[in-house]
Amino acid sequence: MSGSFSGQSRPSPRVPRLPTPPTGWPIGSYDTYEEAHKALEYLADKDFPVQDVTVVGVDLMLVERVVGRLTWSKVLGSGAVSGAWFGLFVGLLLGLFSTQSASLVPIVVGLVTGTLFGLVFAAVGYASTRGNRQIASASQLVAGRYDVLCQPRNAEQGRDLLAKQAIGPGGATA
């Protein structure tokens, strides 16, 4: 998989620069991404040319999982903590370039200032919702199923390998 954080500085020639529909013939369909990933691992273990394979999430859904209720104390607490971390970071940077040796003043000032700013910004943000935002949630994009597509030149071989995987180790002889 190549992406912004995969260590490759430029995209593979196979990865289109613009959003385009996937191509290939279906060689497998799975209920979860984990099952589709296991199928890809199986194909790779069998020396299948996995660069011809694409996993496509079908029937996309945005799932919002409620993790709790928002209260003033939770909002202010998280604002203070995130502000403190940012302030500590800034204070450490300022401390590195300080002319005084072993001075904790920039770190303490950054920590206190960051905490105060975090509190203020969290309070203003929460107050601006006027009580309409009373839950904390995490959103996730998931698919109803995951289809594995393969370029036509290797699709039959891929389908056969995945069928052998589905049968299991004792059900088929190679």
Side-chain angles (χ1 to χ4, degrees), residues 63-113:
V63 179
E64 184 175 9
R65 300 191 199 293
V66 177
V67 295
R69 182 178 168 86
L70 283 179
T71 62
W72 273 105
S73 61
K74 287 182 183 178
V75 169
L76 294 177
S78 67
V81 169
S82 63
W85 277 113
F86 184 71
L88 181 63
F89 173 70
V90 171
L92 285 171
L93 284 178
L94 291 174
L96 286 174
F97 298 108
S98 175
T99 58
Q100 301 172 356
S101 61
S103 175
L104 293 177
V105 173
I107 296 171
V108 173
V109 169
L111 188 63
V112 170
T113 306

